[in-house]
Amino acid sequence: MNIYKVGGCVRDYMLGVEPKDIDYVIVGSSADELVAQGYQKVGADFPVFLHPDTGEEYALARKEVSTGDSYVDFTFSTNNVTLSEDLERRDLTINSIAMDDNGHIYDPMGGMSDCSNRILRHTSMAFVEDPVRVLRIGRFLARLGPSWTVDESTVALCIDMFKTGMTLHPERVWKEFSRALEEPYWELFIEWLIRVGNVIPELDWVPYTRDVSNFNALEYRLVHVCTEIPLNVVETFLSRIGAPSDYRNLALTISKYRCVLMENPSERTPEEIYEVYTSLHKCNLLGDYFIWDTCHDDHWFYLLEGIQWDKHRKSLVNSMAPGKELGQAILNANLELIKDFFK
């Protein structure tokens, strides 16, 4: 039985980065033998074993065979699988390197050379069995930066994958999308998806070059992308990437009112102004720096921050019965506050 460190931890070691997690693969053993040695078997998709002393995860070397169009349609085998066979099923060559306990490197797929030359290259044609790997390339670019390139053969393969009508599950897209938007070079992720084409078609509206230095939080980076997309397709885009409801509401609200907030509010009716106020208030955006940094108009800031909204709500609630008439009275009181602001 031989044990190797594999995947991302070896890649990070090659790049001089402290790995966050260590992945182990075991060659020349079986599930029964590991259980007999005290390992605990976990995982339903394929056998993973917890070390009896450290609790770390160890996986038996395995081969996978696609049995359908979905990423979950596959069978695997762990019988007499070699280290090279296990490494060959992995996504990129830089993730297909192994290291033994003595620090000896096993690199049958050329990952060390690609690390040195800063190239992202698919390990084998097994890459096409999971379309999320295309997004993962973009996430690596977002993490590693503009000095890295994607091998032209891998670019062509990714383009062809989506020409044939491959689809992505929104929940898996969001996992990669959200992680990529938190990386230091997140705009490279967007540029990569645009380059491949047909992955997320709405991104075709987004220009390649943008000043993104002021946007540091995930939600604001997502909103910034949405503001580059026509309003009538933003919701389709957010559904396609599986954005959770709080992110969706934030992005849709800012996308809807961004252009309005760039105008002078005096050109809007009190009813339109109140709609803007209630929408921003609902998403906790009043006073939010992103709104004002994006929209560049102080008039709205002084209006929305200067009015004592719902000033008369308490007295109206105390003097009227609940119902439509009370709601209308509160609305009318706020509309009068808006009118008074412009006097």
Side-chain angles (χ1 to χ4, degrees):
M1 183 173 81
N2 295 302
I3 299 176
Y4 304 90
K5 295 177 181 177
V6 292
C9 64
V10 183
R11 175 202 68 225
D12 289 345
Y13 171 79
M14 299 295 299
L15 297 177
V17 177
E18 184 70 24
K20 294 181 179 179
D21 302 296
I22 307 294
D23 296 321
Y24 297 93
V25 68
I26 299 174
V27 178
S29 186
S30 66
D32 290 341
E33 181 180 1
L34 292 177
V35 171
Q37 293 181 17
Y39 286 80
Q40 180 184 352
K41 184 178 179 180
V42 296
D45 295 334
F46 51 83
V48 176
F49 301 85
L50 302 182
H51 192 280
D53 297 325
T54 67
E56 293 180 294
E57 291 187 356
Y58 289 70
L60 286 169
R62 68 183 189 273
K63 292 188 293 185
E64 296 176 353
V65 178
S66 176
T67 59
D69 295 333
S70 173
Y71 74 98
V72 297
D73 295 331
F74 70 91
T75 59
F76 66 87
S77 171
T78 59
N79 295 326
N80 301 316
V81 177
T82 66
L83 178 61
S84 292
E85 288 173 326
D86 181 90
L87 296 176
E88 187 177 2
R89 68 174 175 79
R90 297 173 184 268
D91 54 0
L92 302 174
T93 59
I94 64 170
N95 295 330
S96 303
I97 310 171
M99 177 191 296
D100 65 19
D101 287 340
N102 297 318
H104 182 77
I105 296 293
Y106 297 83
D107 180 30
M109 307 303 161
M112 291 178 64
S113 174
D114 284 343
C115 278
S116 297
N117 294 313
R118 301 185 177 187
I119 295 173
L120 299 176
R121 188 195 318 269
H122 64 286
T123 300
S124 71
M125 289 305 295
F127 182 92
V128 303
E129 295 171 2
D130 187 356
V132 163
R133 288 172 169 174
V134 175
L135 276 71
R136 201 162 292 147
I137 288 178
R139 180 161 60 82
F140 278 117
L141 289 172
R143 177 188 302 173
L144 298 171
S147 62
W148 283 72
T149 59
V150 183
D151 183 76
E152 287 301 321
S153 67
T154 302
V155 175
L157 184 64
C158 292
I159 292 172
D160 287 343
M161 286 170 63
F162 285 89
K163 279 183 178 179
T164 59
M166 276 196 167
T167 58
L168 292 161
H169 294 267
E171 64 274 10
R172 298 187 74 215
V173 176
W174 178 250
K175 182 178 179 181
E176 295 297 327
F177 212 100
S178 59
R179 292 174 69 182
L181 291 190
E182 293 182 311
E183 297 289 359
Y185 304 100
W186 66 275
E187 70 277 10
L188 297 181
F189 173 75
I190 304 297
E191 292 177 5
W192 164 249
L193 295 181
I194 295 171
R195 182 182 180 187
V196 173
N198 297 317
V199 183
I200 301 174
E202 295 80 17
L203 291 178
D204 288 346
W205 293 93
V206 180
Y208 269 80
T209 305
R210 296 167 309 283
D211 178 11
V212 296
S213 58
N214 293 329
F215 307 109
N216 298 316
L218 187 162
E219 60 267 32
Y220 294 139
R221 289 175 173 180
L222 175 64
V223 167
H224 184 64
V225 173
C226 288
T227 58
E228 301 283 358
I229 299 172
L231 181 59
N232 63 332
V233 296
V234 169
E235 191 160 4
T236 301
F237 164 70
L238 293 169
S239 296
R240 194 185 304 277
I241 68 171
S245 59
D246 51 346
Y247 290 97
R248 287 170 59 91
N249 293 337
L250 178 72
L252 285 169
T253 299
I254 294 180
S255 297
K256 180 177 180 180
Y257 294 109
R258 177 173 177 263
C259 291
V260 174
L261 290 168
M262 296 181 73
E263 301 171 355
N264 192 313
S266 63
E267 299 174 1
R268 295 283 170 171
T269 66
E271 288 78 9
E272 290 172 330
I273 291 172
Y274 188 68
E275 179 188 338
V276 173
Y277 161 74
T278 54
S279 297
L280 297 182
H281 178 69
K282 186 177 181 180
C283 291
N284 297 314
L285 285 170
L286 290 175
D288 192 289
Y289 84 90
F290 181 83
I291 285 288
W292 314 123
D293 186 65
T294 303
C295 300
H296 311 293
D297 195 294
D298 291 340
H299 293 92
W300 277 100
F301 175 81
Y302 291 123
L303 168 61
L304 296 174
E305 294 292 319
I307 291 178
Q308 189 178 346
W309 298 99
D310 290 331
K311 177 180 178 180
H312 303 294
R313 173 184 287 273
K314 186 175 181 180
S315 62
L316 290 170
V317 169
N318 290 335
S319 62
M320 297 180 66
K324 291 183 178 180
E325 291 185 358
L326 173 59
Q328 187 62 48
I330 293 172
L331 169 61
N332 291 338
N334 279 307
L335 294 180
E336 288 300 319
L337 291 174
I338 296 171
K339 293 174 185 177
D340 291 342
F341 181 87
F342 288 106
K343 289 181 179 178

